[in-house]
Amino acid sequence: MARIDLMKVSKTLRDRPGAGLAGDTAPPPAGTGRDGAAFSIRDLDLTIHDGETMVVLGPSGCGKTTLLKMIAGLITPDAGQVRYDGVNVTEVSPGERRIGMVFQNYALYPHLDSRTNVLAYFLFRKRTPELDAMAKAKYQRTSELMGVELTYLLDRKPTTLSGGEKQRVALGRCITRDPALFLLDEPFSNLDQALREKYRVNLKILLRQFDVTSVYVTHDHYEALILADRLAVMDRGRIEQVGTYQEIYDEPRNVFVAGFLNRHVGTPPINLFDGAAVPPGYAVGPARVGVRPEDLEVSREARANGVAGVVASAVSLPTLNTTILGIRVGDREVHAQTPSHDGLRTGDRVWVAFKRYHVFDAESGVRLRSHPGAPPSR
C-alpha cells in the first residue's frame, strides 16, 4: 500500500487551436478545457491515505483523468511534486511506480488469450525460474481473489469477450502485478446499467479484500457513493472539497459542490434562492440560500414561517418510495421530496417551509453557515 501526496501540482495542456504559436503569450485561465481551449490545473493539493479508496468526482472535462495520469506518471506536472510514501516520484517512470491501472477501454492485447493478458506484467521480462515462480504465485492469488468469474474466461481472446468480461480480465491483470496503488479511469462506463451495478459491488468487495490504496475517477454520483472511502469533488482543474460523501453532502463548501453532489439519481440536488426571496423569519440577509429537496417541508395548512405555492408537477419514484414535487412559488419553481403516501397532486395549494438550509455568500458562493448545523451522523 502507499500514501499519495500531490503538492502544489500544476499542469497546462495546450490543445486549443493555435496554442503555443508566436504571439500566444496570454496565460490560460484555470480549467478552460471544456470548450477546447488550453486546460490548466494549478497549485492542486491532495492527500490519499494509505489503504483508502479515493474517488475523484466531477463533471466531464474537469481534469479528473489528467490528475490520474499525473499520479501514474503518464503526464509530468509543470510544477509541484507527486509523492509516494513521502518520496518524490515526479520524475520516476510509470513502470517504476508499482501501479496497476484499469482504463476506460480496458487496453487488452487483442492477439493474446485472457490468461496471457492477466500475466502481461511478466510477459516482457526475461524469463528466469524465480520470475516464473513469482508469476505462478501471483496468478494463483488473482484467481483466488476473483474466483470463477475470471477462470472460465482465461482461454478466450479479448475479441470474443463482452464488455463486462473484458473488464474482469483488465482487473485481473491489474491485481496480478501486485501494485501498491490502483488507478481506475471510469472502468464501467462502457457497460450497461445492470452490469455496472453488479461490478460496482464486486469491485468494492475486491478492494476490501486486496486492501490497496486506490484512486477511482468518475462523473457518476451513485458509483462514488458505493465505492468511496473519501471523495474529492473536482471542477475546472480545482479540488473543491474532500471528505466522506455524507460530510460533503451535509456541509458543502460552496454552491458548485452543493449543486453538483446528488444523493438520488433523478432528483434535483438543491434549490437556490435569493436571500431577499426567503421568508423574513429565516433572516439570512443579502446572501443565497440553498435547500435540499428532502429538507423542504410541504403542508396543506398555512405556516407562519412558510411561503405559499401551488403544486406544478408530481413525479413518483417507486424505488425510493417518494414523490418529487415541483412547486410554483411566485415566479420560480422549487422541488420538494415527499413520501409517496402524502397524496399531493398537481394544482394543490400548499405551504413550503425549510427544515434545514445553507447560506452562501452572494458573490463568492462559499458556504457561510448551515441552519441547523450538521445533522447527526447516519
Side-chain angles (χ1 to χ4, degrees), residues 162-164 168 188 191-200:
S162 68
R168 272 174 266 164
F188 304 130
L191 304 183
D192 63 42
Q193 183 63 33
L195 282 177
R196 276 204 301 272
E197 293 190 4
K198 175 182 178 181
Y199 289 128
R200 284 167 184 158

Side-chain angles (χ1 to χ4, degrees), residues 211-281:
D211 195 24
V212 64
T213 307
S214 306
V215 184
Y216 188 109
V217 303
T218 184
H219 62 272
D220 188 307
H221 301 254
Y222 188 59
E223 206 159 84
L225 176 61
I226 291 173
L227 294 172
D229 294 321
R230 287 193 305 150
L231 282 177
V233 179
M234 193 171 184
D235 183 45
R236 296 181 180 272
R238 296 186 300 270
I239 298 292
E240 297 287 354
Q241 188 169 355
V242 178
T244 66
Y245 195 101
Q246 197 66 53
E247 288 168 350
I248 297 174
Y249 189 82
D250 288 338
E251 296 189 298
R253 179 170 293 169
N254 54 38
V255 169
F256 169 78
V257 175
F260 180 71
L261 194 63
N262 197 356
R263 176 173 288 159
H264 302 303
V265 176
T267 66
I270 199 163
N271 300 290
L272 291 170
F273 303 86
D274 239 340
V278 174

Side-chain angles (χ1 to χ4, degrees), residues 130-150:
E130 293 79 11
L131 191 69
D132 288 347
M134 183 186 298
K136 185 176 180 180
K138 297 281 181 70
Y139 174 78
Q140 181 65 30
R141 182 163 186 249
T142 300
S143 297
E144 290 170 357
L145 281 171
M146 299 197 69
V148 295
E149 288 206 335
L150 178 66

